[in-house]
């Protein structure tokens, strides 16, 4: 596996190696300890889109107890579906550390580097006019605290990844006849492009939109969009807790030929309302694919279905 290492200065590194060897050499080299760190993406914990969530690279940042960045490492693709183990080399002096992992950094996802954890950010590279017409890459995050490096003891840790991207499948049926040749536009607009290294959305960023155009095929319009996190508190310590950090992404559907807006609403509220109508509660930390169907009648009243749960918004305050 091809990797890229970012190391501390050579003189300091050599001194640390000497100290490590001195610490573990006693009567027998077998007394030297090791620290091993594994990255794992456990797909059984999530409802994911089939065939998605590819991991082309894993970038791991290592911080000391003072939350200073002391080392970083980049590894190549991770085939979690094949049951591979993904090991992170630990070339650190004795101490206690925190590891943070992000996947698929490259052209789309960048980091704002800084010496301290609290100042480092990950962000989605801005596209021209803030419009994304193709899918952004999948994004995953993981963190593990209190990793001990001790040359006299063996330690083994597993760093679990969680998804940060969702698949939104959009379908429109039953539009009034007469506009079958027109082009239609689906748009999802949000401002969740920047994250701190605890995986929380940094607010007050410029809005951007995912846009797809579609024409009728077999009496339906279809589009599929990959979005970033649908709630702001996507940190690992919040997994399984009550969801209180919803985003407010706007879902827009319009006739792109004549410019007529046919539907616009808060997409997360649509999802929550559909589930609640069926007596269910959606879990954005578990479900990462949502199939949204808009069905219009002759008067352009709409019925909405999300993952099979259907409701009529007339009289329901979204």
């Amino acid at each position: 596996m091809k990797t890229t290492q970012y190391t501390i200065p050579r003189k300091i590194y050599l001194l640390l190696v000497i100290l490590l060897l001195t610490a573990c050499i006693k009567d027998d080299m077998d007394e030297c300890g090791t620290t091993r760190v594994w990255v794992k993406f456990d797909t059984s914990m999530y409802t994911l889109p089939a065939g998605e969530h590819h991991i082309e690279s894993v970038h791991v940042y290592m911080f000391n107890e003072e939350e200073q960045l002391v080392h970083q490492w980049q590894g190549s693709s991770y085939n979690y579906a094949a049951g591979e183990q993904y090991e992170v080399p630990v070339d650190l002096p004795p101490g206690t550390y925190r590891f943070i992992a992000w996947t698929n950094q490259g052209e789309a996802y960048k980091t704002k580097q800084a010496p301290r954890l609290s100042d480092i950010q990950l962000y989605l590279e801005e596209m021209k006019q803030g419009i994304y017409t193709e899918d952004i890459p999948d994004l995953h995050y993981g963190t593990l605290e209190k990793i001990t490096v001790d040359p006299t003891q063996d330690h083994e840790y597993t760093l679990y990844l969680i998804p940060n991207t969702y698949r939104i499948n959009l379908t429109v049926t039953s539009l009034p006849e007469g506009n079958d040749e027109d082009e239609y536009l689906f748009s999802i607009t949000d401002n969740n492009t920047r994250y701190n290294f605890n995986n929380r959305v940094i607010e007050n960023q410029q809005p951007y939109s995912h846009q797809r155009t579609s024409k009728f095929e077999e009496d339906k319009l279809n589009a599929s969009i990959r979005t970033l996190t649908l709630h702001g508190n996507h940190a690992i310590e919040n997994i399984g807790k009550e969801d209180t950090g919803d985003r407010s992404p706007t879902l827009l559907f319009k006739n792109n030929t004549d410019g007529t807006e046919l539907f616009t609403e808060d997409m997360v509220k649509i999802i929550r309302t559909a589930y609640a109508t069926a007596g269910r509660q959606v879990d954005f930390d578990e479900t990462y694919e949502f199939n949204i169907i808009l069905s219009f009648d002759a008067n352009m009243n709409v019925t909405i279905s999300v993952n099979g749960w259907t409701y009529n918004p007339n009289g329901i305050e979204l």
Side-chain angles (χ1 to χ4, degrees):
M1 177 171 61
K2 182 180 178 181
T3 63
T4 303
Q5 297 274 0
Y6 303 86
T7 59
I8 53 184
R10 180 176 177 80
K11 289 183 179 180
I12 298 176
Y13 179 77
L14 291 174
L15 177 61
L16 293 172
V17 170
I18 293 171
L19 291 174
L20 284 171
L21 290 174
T22 303
C24 74
I25 294 176
K26 296 181 180 178
D27 297 328
D28 194 329
M29 282 294 293
D30 289 341
E31 295 187 27
C32 291
T34 60
T35 296
R36 307 185 76 181
V37 177
W38 305 95
V39 171
K40 184 174 183 180
F41 185 34
D42 186 356
T43 57
S44 67
M45 298 172 62
Y46 312 108
T47 302
L48 300 171
E52 293 198 27
H53 283 274
H54 301 288
I55 297 178
E56 302 302 328
S57 64
V58 178
H59 202 128
V60 180
Y61 300 81
M62 307 172 191
F63 301 87
N64 63 18
E65 289 186 281
E66 287 73 42
E67 296 193 344
Q68 296 171 325
L69 179 63
V70 295
H71 193 61
Q72 51 186 306
W73 172 84
Q74 181 178 335
S76 59
S77 61
Y78 170 31
N79 186 7
Y80 59 85
E84 286 183 1
Q85 290 185 319
Y86 196 100
E87 185 174 8
V88 179
V90 182
D91 298 322
L92 295 168
T96 303
Y97 299 90
R98 177 176 179 178
F99 283 23
I100 289 177
W102 292 96
T103 67
N104 296 335
Q105 290 192 51
E107 292 184 7
Y109 301 117
K110 311 285 187 181
T111 56
K112 174 191 173 185
Q113 291 282 17
R116 296 188 64 82
L117 172 60
S118 58
D119 298 320
I120 304 178
Q121 298 177 5
L122 178 134
Y123 61 93
L124 177 64
E125 184 76 0
E126 184 177 348
M127 296 293 288
K128 185 177 181 181
Q129 298 179 334
I131 297 173
Y132 295 79
T133 58
E134 296 182 357
D135 273 343
I136 57 177
D138 281 306
L139 181 66
H140 312 80
Y141 163 86
T143 185
L144 190 61
E145 298 184 64
K146 298 181 179 180
I147 293 177
T148 300
V149 176
D150 186 337
T152 66
Q153 299 182 32
D154 291 327
H155 298 278
E156 190 162 333
Y157 303 91
T158 301
L159 191 160
Y160 289 92
L161 296 175
I162 62 173
N164 261 53
T165 43
Y166 295 75
R167 170 63 64 186
I168 309 298
N169 299 312
L170 301 162
T171 300
V172 170
T173 64
S174 305
L175 274 178
E177 296 181 1
N179 298 313
D180 291 356
E181 300 301 318
D182 287 356
E183 179 184 76
Y184 291 84
L185 175 73
F186 294 92
S187 175
I188 298 174
T189 301
D190 206 339
N191 65 343
N192 56 344
T193 54
R194 190 171 289 261
Y195 298 77
N196 66 25
F197 259 41
N198 289 319
N199 200 20
R200 289 181 173 86
V201 175
I202 298 174
E203 300 292 349
N204 301 318
Q205 304 303 308
Q206 283 294 112
Y208 75 104
S209 63
H210 302 277
Q211 296 187 3
R212 304 290 187 275
T213 56
S214 178
K215 287 193 172 185
F216 273 99
E217 293 185 9
E218 298 180 355
D219 297 323
K220 292 182 180 180
L221 295 165
N222 294 287
S224 187
I225 297 173
R226 182 182 291 144
T227 70
L228 285 165
T229 184
L230 296 181
H231 58 111
N233 260 340
H234 207 50
I236 281 186
E237 61 266 26
N238 292 321
I239 298 297
K241 296 181 180 179
E242 183 180 358
D243 213 349
T244 58
D246 282 351
R247 308 296 306 156
S248 298
T250 300
L251 172 61
L252 169 68
F253 170 60
K254 65 183 288 187
N255 184 317
N256 215 29
T257 299
D258 63 20
T260 303
E261 290 190 8
L262 302 173
F263 179 86
T264 182
E265 194 52 83
D266 183 319
M267 187 177 71
V268 167
K269 288 187 177 180
I270 289 171
I271 294 170
R272 286 205 178 279
T273 302
Y275 273 69
T277 301
R280 296 174 175 267
Q281 184 173 353
V282 63
D283 186 348
F284 289 114
D285 292 326
E286 178 182 312
T287 303
Y288 288 84
E289 183 172 30
F290 294 99
N291 301 299
I292 301 176
I293 302 174
L294 307 178
S295 299
F296 292 88
D297 64 17
N299 296 316
M300 293 303 292
N301 296 312
V302 64
T303 299
I304 302 172
S305 173
V306 181
N307 287 358
W309 313 117
T310 300
Y311 75 100
N312 188 323
N314 293 336
I316 297 178
E317 183 180 351
L318 292 181

